[in-house]
Amino acid sequence: TLVALQGYFGVASLFPTTLIIVPKVGVMGDPVTRSQWLDDTCAALTAIANAVNTDPNVAPFTASSFTGAMILNGKCTTLGAGQWSSIGGSYSATEVMINYKVDPFAADGQAWIVRLRKALEAHHGLGSWFVFGDGPNQMDVANKTYARFPIMIVLMMCAVFLVIGISFGSVMAPVRAALCLLWMLAVTFGL
């Protein structure tokens, strides 16, 4: 089962987090500028690892956690094991795998994702950086859902008022239904 696999390999192995880096247009045109971009990106990844490695309650996060076209085992290289996209031209994007033993669905893992995204902001001069994976995606969807939660409650109450008010031809029935629904939400979410 999935739970057994998580026990054997860890959640991070089953639901990996990766970086997608899209270089600025024109940077990858010739081998000299491409090599310079790879060196600069490797230095940025090392700085990112240092900036993210601030929580003493989790395993150390170092540059050796990154594997890509520009970095391997924490060392800069131009012959790394990265994949390049050729959509929109040669060397249009690359993937950097992250091998870090943190559960991206737990509070520690989500705090790590937030620190990673914040550290990436300082390196937009090299291109666009994207954090990709099931953990970051689920965190983003949950945050967006909770941000829209009050609007959804108001829309649900309006629908209840309309449907029950039209069905029963009364004002008291929809008020009672809305109050019961609000009470259930308050009990469920501990408000």
Side-chain angles (χ1 to χ4, degrees):
T1 66
L2 186 59
V3 174
L5 285 173
Q6 289 177 1
Y8 295 133
F9 298 104
V11 177
S13 296
L14 296 178
F15 301 103
T17 301
T18 59
L19 294 176
I20 306 294
I21 308 171
V22 180
K24 296 244 183 220
V25 177
V27 174
M28 307 304 278
D30 65 81
V32 174
T33 58
R34 185 170 40 250
S35 179
Q36 183 61 49
W37 184 86
L38 290 169
D39 288 340
D40 293 345
T41 306
C42 179
L45 288 169
T46 302
I48 289 165
N50 292 333
V52 172
N53 190 28
T54 58
D55 187 354
N57 298 322
V58 295
F61 184 70
T62 63
S64 62
S65 300
F66 294 118
T67 302
M70 70 294 296
I71 192 166
L72 186 62
N73 292 328
K75 306 282 189 238
C76 295
T77 180
T78 56
L79 303 172
Q83 297 179 2
W84 287 97
S85 171
S86 59
I87 298 173
S90 297
Y91 304 104
S92 61
T94 187
E95 179 181 32
V96 177
M97 296 175 285
I98 301 173
N99 184 15
Y100 183 54
K101 303 297 181 204
V102 68
D103 182 352
F105 304 106
D108 288 343
Q110 291 186 358
W112 170 76
I113 293 167
V114 169
R115 288 193 310 271
L116 178 63
R117 285 180 171 164
K118 186 163 181 61
L120 293 175
E121 291 174 2
H123 302 282
H124 281 294
L126 294 169
S128 301
W129 300 71
F130 302 96
V131 180
F132 179 76
D134 288 335
N137 289 347
Q138 183 176 344
M139 185 178 83
D140 292 343
V141 169
N143 289 340
K144 193 165 279 254
T145 300
Y146 284 123
R148 306 278 174 143
F149 195 60
I151 295 169
M152 291 294 110
I153 290 174
V154 169
L155 290 174
M156 181 180 68
M157 293 306 138
C158 290
V160 165
F161 264 97
L162 284 173
V163 171
I164 293 179
I166 292 171
S167 298
F168 289 98
S170 166
V171 174
M172 201 57 196
V175 169
R176 183 175 174 209
L179 288 175
C180 288
L181 287 172
L182 287 172
W183 176 250
M184 286 187 288
L185 288 170
V187 168
T188 301
F189 292 102
L191 301 175

